[in-house]
Amino acid sequence: MEQLPSTATDQAPADPAAADDALASQPIGYWSGLAHTAVTAHLRDAMARIDVTQPQYWVLNRVNAPGSAPSRAEVVAQLAPLADGEHEIPRVIDQLLHRGWLRADGDNGTRLHLTGPGEAARARLRELVTGVRAVVHEGISDEEYVAALKVLRRMVANVEGVGASR
């Protein structure tokens, strides 16, 4: 049997009420999933109050990115991994074209551009997201936030490819 490194801590069942001194034994999947669900729901609820979705915000930001106007296919390819299904981003593009927040031109209407109302919506959403971020980060220093992300990034790196090599 493989020996665990001396820094390993036994895994305890997920416990939302775990005391600080017991957190090292808590499962990362539970806590990262809980954080993802809570933060995403809070953000999406705030956006819903102004009749916008998070994927719409993603598309507005992607189309606004520096460089040449992206094609519909480029936007779909970049954002599809974040979406709830392969059809979500194409539908969002259609919604934003219908709203008049995007326009298509170029090669058979495939290049996407923000319109004036689309840029105004993107700017309003940026303010909203900044406010939501302030609520989520309340009581958390930038240093603590960076440390948390570095830990998560390291955990991802630790397990990438592990299943494929076994």
Side-chain angles (χ1 to χ4, degrees):
M1 177 180 239
E2 183 179 336
Q3 291 289 337
L4 294 175
S6 61
T7 59
T9 301
D10 286 341
Q11 181 80 32
D15 180 5
D20 286 357
D21 62 350
L23 288 177
S25 66
Q26 288 291 291
I28 186 62
Y30 170 79
W31 286 99
S32 62
L34 191 65
H36 171 77
T37 299
V39 170
T40 301
H42 182 75
L43 177 63
R44 289 182 175 189
D45 288 348
M47 288 180 168
R49 288 190 283 279
I50 60 170
D51 194 28
V52 180
T53 67
Q54 187 180 29
Q56 288 172 339
Y57 181 55
W58 297 337
V59 170
L60 292 172
N61 277 332
R62 175 60 189 97
V63 172
N64 186 59
S68 63
S71 70
R72 181 183 185 101
E74 289 167 339
V75 173
V76 169
Q78 184 178 24
L79 297 177
L82 304 173
D84 294 332
E86 65 181 281
H87 302 292
E88 183 175 34
I89 300 303
R91 287 177 183 143
V92 165
I93 292 169
D94 290 339
Q95 291 167 346
L96 295 175
L97 287 165
H98 178 76
R99 272 193 180 184
W101 289 4
L102 292 180
R103 68 178 170 81
D105 65 10
D107 308 329
N108 299 320
T110 61
R111 294 283 166 195
L112 300 173
H113 305 269
L114 287 181
T115 62
E119 173 53 27
R122 191 196 65 75
R124 282 192 313 275
L125 283 162
R126 178 83 176 177
E127 286 182 32
L128 181 135
V129 169
T130 299
V132 167
R133 184 184 191 282
V135 169
V136 171
H137 287 242
E138 187 174 334
I140 302 167
S141 70
D142 285 349
E143 293 78 16
E144 290 171 310
Y145 181 71
V146 168
L149 293 185
K150 288 171 82 173
V151 166
L152 291 171
R153 186 167 61 186
R154 176 61 186 260
M155 288 178 169
V156 170
N158 286 347
V159 298
E160 281 183 336
V162 169
S165 65
R166 291 188 179 183

